[in-house]
Amino acid sequence: MSQTPTQNEERIRRKDHRSVLAWIGVLTGPVAWVLQLYWSWAIGEFLACGPASRAGDRIFGFDMNTFSAMLNGGLLAFTVVAGVLSYVELRSLRSRRDRTPADRATWLARSGIMSSILFAVLIAVSFVPVVMIGGCG
């Protein structure tokens, strides 16, 4: 008995969905880290501490260090969630046989976990300057 075209399309769509989740796990950490590096610098240099800034060490009503910590915390949370999604995908792959060529899906899920751990550490380290260095002084 052959599959109907709608069943086959649904199977392909589910496969693509899993691949998207795995790629999110791999790419979220590096993108979050780049955003953290760029926006932390831009916020401190141009918005709060620039010579023409009237903010006076305040961004959207928050102290510059508080705002930077909130930004870093949000990006860290995105990275951790991406790592958890990769872990869930890896657990799902262990419960069934990986039918992708050369176990690509398993490799991608493991890469997502490792990438998320690495970039979560890099983003977490960015809290050190926020704590040790005062605002625009």
Side-chain angles (χ1 to χ4, degrees):
M1 182 194 285
S2 66
Q3 291 182 342
T4 64
T6 57
Q7 289 174 336
N8 193 27
E9 290 171 3
E10 182 63 32
R11 184 178 56 82
I12 292 170
R13 193 174 307 123
R14 275 196 318 264
K15 182 179 177 182
D16 290 342
H17 177 70
R18 284 195 307 264
S19 182
V20 167
L21 286 179
W23 278 108
I24 287 172
V26 171
L27 296 175
T28 299
V31 169
W33 184 58
V34 166
L35 289 174
Q36 183 266 329
L37 285 177
Y38 180 74
W39 284 109
S40 290
W41 170 79
I43 286 169
E45 186 66 28
F46 293 112
L47 292 178
C49 300
S53 174
R54 295 184 183 172
D57 198 18
R58 307 218 28 104
I59 302 167
F60 302 120
F62 295 103
D63 179 53
M64 187 185 79
N65 285 344
T66 304
F67 187 79
S68 181
M70 290 187 323
L71 175 71
N72 294 344
L75 293 171
L76 180 62
F78 281 130
T79 304
V80 169
V81 167
V84 169
L85 288 175
S86 291
Y87 179 73
V88 167
E89 179 65 19
L90 183 63
R91 295 272 317 233
S92 170
L93 287 167
R94 285 183 181 171
S95 67
R96 58 182 160 70
R97 187 167 179 258
D98 185 4
R99 297 187 187 277
T100 58
D103 293 335
R104 178 194 55 85
T106 302
W107 182 87
L108 199 57
R110 284 183 182 148
S111 297
I113 293 169
M114 290 185 286
S115 173
S116 295
I117 290 170
L118 172 68
F119 287 102
V121 168
L122 289 173
I123 293 170
V125 168
S126 70
F127 284 101
V128 173
V130 170
V131 172
M132 296 184 73
I133 299 172
C136 295

